[in-house]
Amino acid sequence: MKNTKLLFALVTILICSTTNAQLLNKLKKKAEEAAERTLERKVEEKSEEKTSKAFDSVFNAPKKVSKKVKSRKQQEFDESDENESADSSNEIVTGSSFFPDGQVLFLEDFNQDSFGDFPVNWNTNSGGEIIKVNGEKAFKLNPNGTYTAKTSKLPENYALEFDLVTENLDYKGLSGSNFGLIFSNEETLNKPKNGGKFGFSLWKGSKICNQINVQNWGKTNGKIDNNIPFKMQEKLNTITHFTIVVNKNRLRVFIDNEKAIDLPSFLSNNFGNYIQFYLKGTDPKEKHIVAISNVKITEEGEDIRSMLLKGGFSTTKILFDSGSDKLKKESYDFLDKIVTVLQEDTTIRLNIIGHTDSDGDAVKNMTLSKSRAAAVMNYFIDQKGLDKSRFMFQGRGENEPIADNSTTEGKAQNRRVEFQTIN
């Protein structure tokens, strides 16, 4: 019996030893495989780093600053600290959005064009075709081409909107690629004698596309040639909304409703009456896609800020209840545009002047015009929180007509609110 127990114990020890040995061998093998994978990953990362540096060197991409790589948790911690710092700072209000609301001059959704055809409302010196993006039609541009919509001469003040569709824009074949718009007073597909343009690289694989180049040329232009920082890299291989606003000499560009360009004298002598789209350097063999869709041009009023900086303006867009100083709700949108300008430029101070037509008693008209001017001022102060020290108000009654009070149209023009800049 004792021999049997001893034999059983020896067998048990032998089995455990064998099992442990097998387990140790497996653990050893897994450790060796893990170490090998770590080594391979480090080699790949080093190789990618060298490749990236080589590309940047060849194509003059911005130099990279060597930094110690942080863990994801450390990055999240740092970002959290930055957000907390931002939350503790003063409130900052910017006017970085523009939403056109003027009369439509040109509207293009390409629905009248057949799939695969060149659109009927456009001209080019290259080629292109209608494609479908998420089930909707878009106009795919061919490389090294210029494109113009069949519009008449555009007014001094207008807004152009469109969506830019891009796909497959990475490293291969894109080192010299470029997309942009040209503005001129010539109806041509060639480079105009006088004009200006903005454009950017489509090479998503390099940070060189994180800037927008602006240029103008001609005998009477100011010779601007500059690169404006903007993170276009994250806007490629997706759908990006552009809003371009021209106010005589001034050019503003909003990308996904964020202001990217604002040049007050870029289009000297009003060189913005015609627009060209251009594309350079892409390769159809690499399946590069650059297309535009949902194109709209609207006529906009002169920029409020520019009018105030010139001394002021008068408007009939501020409406009141009949015989009253109570603002109608239809007036709020226009008043809020003025508010945006005043928030953006805190140096502007205003004298608000009310005017009436000649109907009724002259004394009552004087009182009404003054109370209406006060109502506008109070909207700015009470509803929008602007400093009351920035405003004055006056009433002129029916004493300063700008149109004939004997006609309905003339009376409507005389019922106005005037804004004069206080120096």
Side-chain angles (χ1 to χ4, degrees):
M1 184 68 178
K2 289 182 179 180
N3 291 336
T4 303
K5 289 182 178 179
L6 180 61
L7 181 61
F8 179 80
L10 290 172
V11 171
T12 301
I13 292 171
L14 181 61
I15 292 172
C16 290
S17 299
T18 304
T19 302
N20 288 337
Q22 291 174 346
L23 179 61
L24 288 173
N25 286 335
K26 287 182 179 180
L27 292 174
K28 182 180 178 182
K29 186 175 181 181
K30 287 184 178 180
E32 290 174 347
E33 289 174 351
E36 186 176 352
R37 286 196 300 270
T38 300
L39 180 60
E40 289 174 350
R41 186 167 61 252
K42 288 184 177 180
V43 171
E44 289 173 356
E45 289 174 352
K46 194 68 176 178
S47 177
E48 289 175 357
E49 181 181 354
K50 289 182 179 180
T51 302
S52 178
K53 288 182 178 179
F55 274 118
D56 288 340
S57 174
V58 171
F59 296 110
N60 297 320
K63 294 182 179 179
K64 297 180 179 178
V65 179
S66 177
K67 294 183 180 179
K68 185 177 180 180
V69 178
K70 297 181 180 180
S71 69
R72 183 177 298 275
K73 287 186 177 179
Q74 182 63 42
Q75 289 176 345
E76 291 173 353
F77 179 81
D78 290 348
E79 291 171 357
S80 176
D81 280 354
E82 291 173 0
N83 291 337
E84 288 178 4
S85 298
D87 290 342
S88 65
S89 63
N90 295 326
E91 181 183 5
I92 298 174
V93 179
T94 64
S96 59
S97 299
F98 184 92
F99 301 98
D101 61 358
Q103 178 183 354
V104 176
L105 302 176
F106 179 82
L107 188 63
E108 177 67 277
D109 57 11
F110 304 106
N111 281 335
Q112 77 279 17
D113 300 302
S114 298
F115 181 71
D117 285 353
F118 189 91
V120 296
N121 289 330
W122 292 75
N123 292 318
T124 186
N125 56 11
S126 180
E129 63 174 331
I130 297 299
I131 62 174
K132 288 185 179 180
V133 178
N134 297 328
E136 296 185 1
K137 290 182 178 179
F139 177 22
K140 179 179 175 291
L141 310 181
N142 281 5
N144 305 318
T146 302
Y147 302 82
T148 61
K150 294 179 180 179
T151 65
S152 56
K153 183 178 179 180
L154 296 175
E156 289 182 336
N157 304 293
Y158 64 87
L160 162 68
E161 291 184 273
F162 67 92
D163 291 327
L164 179 66
V165 182
T166 54
E167 283 293 338
N168 302 320
L169 302 182
D170 292 299
Y171 266 114
K172 197 169 183 181
L174 287 161
S175 60
S177 62
N178 204 266
F179 171 85
L181 273 69
I182 298 173
F183 305 85
S184 74
N185 58 359
E186 302 172 43
E187 190 176 9
T188 178
L189 288 168
N190 300 316
K191 182 177 179 179
K193 295 179 181 178
N194 297 280
K197 72 174 184 178
F198 75 86
F200 49 89
S201 171
L202 297 170
W203 184 20
K204 181 177 173 62
S206 171
K207 291 183 179 179
I208 194 171
C209 59
N210 281 337
Q211 60 186 18
I212 302 174
N213 179 254
V214 290
Q215 294 182 32
N216 62 5
W217 61 89
K219 293 182 179 179
T220 56
N221 265 342
K223 299 294 188 299
I224 294 174
D225 187 352
N226 192 27
N227 291 320
I228 298 175
F230 191 84
K231 292 184 178 179
M232 286 303 306
Q233 189 177 43
E234 62 191 35
K235 304 294 185 181
L236 300 178
N237 289 349
T238 185
I239 299 176
T240 305
H241 188 71
F242 282 75
T243 305
I244 292 90
V245 185
V246 173
N247 294 117
K248 295 184 179 179
N249 297 342
R250 183 181 184 185
L251 174 70
R252 284 177 292 167
V253 178
F254 300 83
I255 301 176
D256 284 338
N257 296 325
E258 178 183 355
K259 187 189 290 184
I261 299 173
D262 192 348
L263 299 173
S265 58
F266 185 66
L267 302 172
S268 301
N269 293 314
N270 194 22
F271 287 139
N273 300 127
Y274 295 97
I275 304 169
Q276 299 175 354
F277 292 77
Y278 71 87
L279 174 64
K280 295 180 180 179
T282 55
D283 188 350
K285 295 179 182 178
E286 300 297 336
K287 298 182 179 179
H288 299 151
I289 299 292
V290 178
I292 58 175
S293 62
N294 300 316
V295 183
K296 182 170 73 172
I297 302 175
T298 55
E299 182 174 10
E300 302 291 324
E302 184 178 1
D303 178 59
I304 290 175
R305 182 176 182 273
S306 66
M307 291 191 291
L308 289 176
L309 293 178
K310 291 176 183 177
F313 65 96
S314 65
T315 179
T316 59
K317 293 183 178 181
I318 301 174
L319 306 175
F320 302 87
D321 288 347
S322 179
S324 168
D325 61 3
K326 183 179 179 181
L327 285 163
K328 289 189 174 183
K329 292 182 179 179
E330 300 94 301
S331 306
Y332 294 166
D333 285 345
F334 186 79
L335 287 170
D336 288 346
K337 290 181 180 180
I338 301 176
V339 169
T340 299
V341 174
L342 296 177
Q343 289 172 333
E344 206 174 80
D345 190 340
T346 57
T347 65
I348 297 176
R349 298 173 62 236
L350 294 179
N351 184 22
I352 305 168
I353 305 170
H355 299 267
T356 68
D357 58 32
S358 61
D359 285 354
D361 181 73
V363 175
K364 289 183 179 180
N365 283 338
M366 180 64 73
T367 302
L368 179 61
S369 66
K370 187 174 182 179
S371 62
R372 284 179 170 178
V376 172
M377 181 186 73
N378 290 333
Y379 179 84
F380 293 151
I381 298 169
D382 299 336
Q383 301 299 319
K384 298 300 175 179
L386 298 177
D387 191 335
K388 64 180 180 180
S389 66
R390 300 176 64 183
F391 303 101
M392 295 174 54
F393 69 95
Q394 292 178 316
R396 300 284 171 79
E398 60 189 66
N399 296 332
E400 297 180 4
I402 58 173
D404 188 353
N405 269 314
S406 65
T407 66
T408 301
E409 294 79 9
K411 290 177 182 179
Q413 292 180 53
N414 289 330
R415 294 190 297 270
R416 67 194 190 279
V417 177
E418 186 177 356
F419 296 90
Q420 291 183 350
T421 305
I422 303 172
N423 295 322

